[in-house]
Amino acid sequence: MDEFMQAAIEEARQGMEEGGIPIGSVLVHQGRIIGRGHNRRVQQGSAILHGEMDALENAGRQPARVYRESVIYTTLSPCPMCTGAILLYGIPKVVVGENQTFMGAEDLLRAQGVEVEVLQDETCIDLMRRFISANPELWNEDIGE
């Protein structure tokens, strides 16, 4: 498995161990992780700390060119909020662990010229299926339903 998706999965597992939603993400620039994070809405009482948002936050302020040269890895298809951040910063490529349990705004990303690669990784699928089955109300809250 790709080392960067593996790092995103590790983040997702950490989130689950903390009592949160198992979605992880890493921001990679020139072959190096510059930001990593996981969904911490539950842990932080946050409205916006999805995995991608946490990874971007943890990367800190970056020059625009860094984002334009980066790839963001996420264990789950990015929601509209995270898609907006990806588009705002001009991140050209998103590697998605899976989109079977949730289909985010991949069409919007593609329409804006972002390359979207979906792996359908069984580990990512299993993490989300188990979580959604055990926590349907929390899951619905996370996706705004």
Side-chain angles (χ1 to χ4, degrees):
M1 173 184 294
D2 179 288
E3 67 181 293
F4 301 124
M5 183 53 67
Q6 186 61 48
I9 290 169
E10 289 168 13
E11 287 291 326
R13 287 184 173 137
Q14 182 179 346
M16 188 166 57
E17 289 169 11
E18 294 170 357
I21 298 165
I23 302 168
S25 182
V26 295
L27 182 65
V28 177
H29 179 252
Q30 296 181 347
R32 184 176 67 85
I33 296 173
I34 62 171
R36 56 190 308 143
H38 52 274
N39 187 306
R40 294 189 308 143
R41 289 185 66 253
V42 173
Q43 301 91 311
Q44 298 293 318
S46 172
I48 62 168
L49 272 182
H50 282 186
E52 299 91 334
M53 303 297 275
D54 195 39
L56 288 166
E57 179 70 15
N58 290 330
R61 284 179 58 195
Q62 299 293 328
R65 69 168 177 73
V66 170
Y67 296 113
R68 290 191 306 261
E69 297 169 349
S70 293
V71 177
I72 194 163
Y73 288 73
T74 180
T75 58
L76 186 66
S77 185
C79 75
M81 176 178 66
C82 297
T83 292
I86 291 164
L87 294 174
L88 175 67
Y89 290 110
I91 298 169
K93 183 174 180 178
V94 180
V95 180
V96 176
E98 66 103 351
N99 64 8
Q100 290 183 17
T101 61
F102 175 77
M103 174 59 78
E106 293 176 23
D107 288 343
L108 177 57
L109 288 167
R110 287 184 181 101
Q112 295 297 312
V114 175
E115 180 184 351
V116 179
E117 179 182 348
V118 181
L119 304 177
Q120 301 303 12
D121 179 83
E122 287 301 322
T123 301
C124 295
I125 295 167
D126 183 59
L127 274 171
M128 286 311 299
R129 282 191 178 145
R130 286 187 293 124
F131 177 81
I132 292 168
S133 176
N135 304 280
E137 288 181 21
L138 183 56
W139 172 243
N140 286 334
E141 175 190 318
D142 195 65
I143 59 173
E145 290 186 7

